[in-house]
Amino acid sequence: GAVVSQHPSWVICKSGTSVKIECRSLDFQATTMFWYRQFPKQSLMLMATSNEGSKATYEQGVEKDKFLINHASLTLSTLTVTSAHPEDSSFYICSAKQGASSQPQHFGDGTRLSIL
Amino acid sequence: GENVEQHPSTLSVQEGDSAVIKCTYSDSASNYFPWYKQELGKRPQLIIDIRSNVGEKKDQRIAVTLNKTAKHFSLHITETQPEDSAVYFCAASTGNTPLVFGKGTRLSVIA
């Protein structure tokens, strides 16, 4: 149980392109979903928290107009990297949690984004 | 906000030896402490977690201890095997807040 599916797993695109990443909880309803970014050999840095039906809460330093997050249902959240540039190249990972209490966060497989 | 410090950043052990990774946290309200294992290019996988109402939890070769007074918690892996080689992350949360991760420990188990 508690499977999180993330798609696509790998994206290579030209600078200026917008890229959408999907995160789905397959066998549970995710009240809250989180988006992390991980640069090589570094830790996971939280970008934003999204709750179903409400606006995402972004961490300090994360541009909300560049990283658009939509959490339209209890099983789907999307992250759109708008007008991506080479410095946006990274490993993006979503996670989902059921309920608001101390429940584990379950991670998707991640999306490796490479901007040329 | 919460700050999690993790040590060491790299750890090499001989196969069969034990490995210990330590973390400290700053927010006394944190009450959930998971440990994740991440292999290269893959998702972090939850290997064990502990809540603040217990001091120790064990699952086969893996154990976690928590000292709430000192605000630190540790991961213990016994009888290490080459397949234990990975990056391990500790994290902390109040339960209603997102996980804050340590910087990770790269564990190498030498056969």
Side-chain angles (χ1 to χ4, degrees):
Chain A
V3 178
V4 176
S5 173
Q6 187 172 340
H7 180 81
S9 57
W10 194 291
V11 180
I12 302 174
C13 58
K14 294 181 179 179
S15 184
T17 306
S18 291
V19 178
K20 179 184 279 189
I21 303 169
E22 292 188 350
C23 180
R24 295 180 184 271
S25 56
L26 298 185
D27 51 2
F28 67 101
Q29 292 188 324
T31 345
T32 309
M33 287 187 170
F34 308 92
W35 288 94
Y36 291 84
R37 181 167 50 183
Q38 186 177 33
F39 292 108
K41 297 187 178 181
Q42 293 189 23
S43 188
L44 291 86
M45 298 303 296
L46 180 68
M47 299 176 67
T49 302
S50 73
N51 292 292
E52 183 263 340
S54 60
K55 289 185 179 180
T57 302
Y58 290 82
E59 294 300 298
Q60 191 172 10
V62 178
E63 298 174 58
K64 61 181 180 181
D65 293 331
K66 181 169 186 64
F67 299 100
L68 302 178
I69 292 171
N70 184 281
H71 192 163
S73 76
L74 283 171
T75 59
L76 173 65
S77 176
T78 61
L79 167 67
T80 301
V81 184
T82 61
S83 187
H85 292 285
E87 59 266 28
D88 298 321
S89 298
S90 187
F91 191 51
Y92 293 85
I93 313 177
C94 71
S95 72
K97 189 170 79 165
Q98 184 177 20
S101 60
S102 299
Q103 294 295 321
Q105 284 182 214
H106 303 283
F107 285 86
D109 281 329
T111 298
R112 187 160 302 283
L113 176 62
S114 297
I115 308 298
L116 305 176
Chain B
E2 177 66 277
N3 182 51
V4 177
E5 299 284 339
Q6 183 172 347
H7 299 281
S9 56
T10 60
L11 178 61
S12 292
V13 298
Q14 293 288 329
E15 182 178 0
D17 287 350
S18 296
V20 180
I21 303 171
K22 298 182 179 182
C23 288
T24 60
Y25 62 98
S26 61
D27 188 348
S28 56
S30 288
N31 58 12
Y32 177 63
F33 308 93
W35 286 88
Y36 287 86
K37 174 183 180 182
Q38 187 179 30
E39 297 178 3
L40 188 63
K42 297 189 176 181
R43 75 171 83 186
Q45 290 193 309
L46 178 70
I47 56 171
I48 195 167
D49 58 9
I50 191 168
R51 290 175 171 79
S52 58
N53 58 343
V54 298
E56 184 174 357
K57 184 176 178 181
K58 189 173 181 180
D59 182 5
Q60 299 183 340
R61 297 186 297 108
I62 295 172
V64 58
T65 58
L66 171 65
N67 184 326
K68 281 197 67 180
T69 304
K71 288 192 281 190
H72 65 68
F73 56 113
S74 301
L75 177 71
H76 304 253
I77 306 174
T78 58
E79 300 173 27
T80 53
Q81 301 166 2
E83 51 266 37
D84 294 329
S85 297
V87 179
Y88 291 81
F89 292 98
C90 63
S93 167
T94 65
N96 294 320
T97 56
L99 288 173
V100 175
F101 286 85
K103 291 189 183 301
T105 296
R106 184 172 300 276
L107 174 65
S108 300
V109 180
I110 304 164

